[in-house]
Amino acid sequence: MWFLLLLALIPAMEIWGFIFVSGQIGGWNTFLLVIVTAIIGVLITRHEAAQVWGDVQQQMQSGQIPGRKLVEGLCVMLGGILLLTPGFVTDLIGFTMVFPLTRPIYRHYMLKWIEKKMQNGNFHILR
């Protein structure tokens, strides 16, 4: 249910954002801004993904289970996808998922969601 609401709400907010920003800075400047944020997002995502992957490998080599770092990697991946999606709302969410200072917020909620699914028996691991 909430997914369908988001599926309708996010594009409406993105369209409103495009109209608002293009009214402020012009259509071509808005288009260029979207392209520039995508390029910056890709660069930041590549850097952060390499950092998280290095941390995962280091934890595995020291015999630790990299659970939290894998969830951080998932945050970086989802944030990167959102940064490639044209729009200002998705860019804002994507940047906060990729940025190391705000990523723990998303990691916390993802871990709580996974824990809840496991407790309810709704979490399945495929082999």
Side-chain angles (χ1 to χ4, degrees):
M1 174 67 180
W2 61 269
F3 181 73
L4 293 175
L5 181 63
L6 283 177
L7 200 58
L9 188 61
I10 289 176
M13 291 178 3
E14 295 292 10
I15 291 169
W16 179 84
F18 282 126
I19 292 169
F20 179 77
V21 173
S22 66
Q24 300 296 315
I25 65 173
W28 285 108
N29 289 336
T30 302
F31 176 73
L32 289 174
L33 183 61
V34 170
I35 298 297
V36 167
T37 58
I39 292 169
I40 292 171
V42 166
L43 295 174
I44 292 172
T45 300
R46 286 182 64 189
H47 177 267
E48 290 302 318
Q51 185 75 31
V52 170
W53 181 247
D55 292 346
V56 166
Q57 287 181 326
Q58 184 180 20
Q59 284 183 344
M60 288 174 59
Q61 288 175 353
S62 67
Q64 298 174 345
I65 298 172
R68 289 187 185 271
K69 285 295 177 182
L70 288 175
V71 174
E72 281 196 26
L74 182 61
C75 289
V76 170
M77 183 185 75
L78 291 174
I81 291 169
L82 289 173
L83 286 167
L84 287 174
T85 305
F88 298 111
V89 175
T90 53
D91 282 351
L92 179 66
I93 296 168
F95 276 120
T96 58
M97 289 184 92
V98 171
F99 192 61
L101 295 177
T102 53
R103 190 182 319 137
I105 297 167
Y106 293 99
R107 182 187 69 210
H108 171 75
Y109 285 110
M110 283 182 163
L111 287 171
K112 285 183 78 168
W113 178 79
I114 291 170
E115 181 181 346
K116 182 179 174 184
K117 289 289 186 183
M118 290 177 79
Q119 287 176 349
N120 292 340
N122 295 333
F123 193 82
H124 303 286
I125 298 175
L126 302 174
R127 296 180 193 187

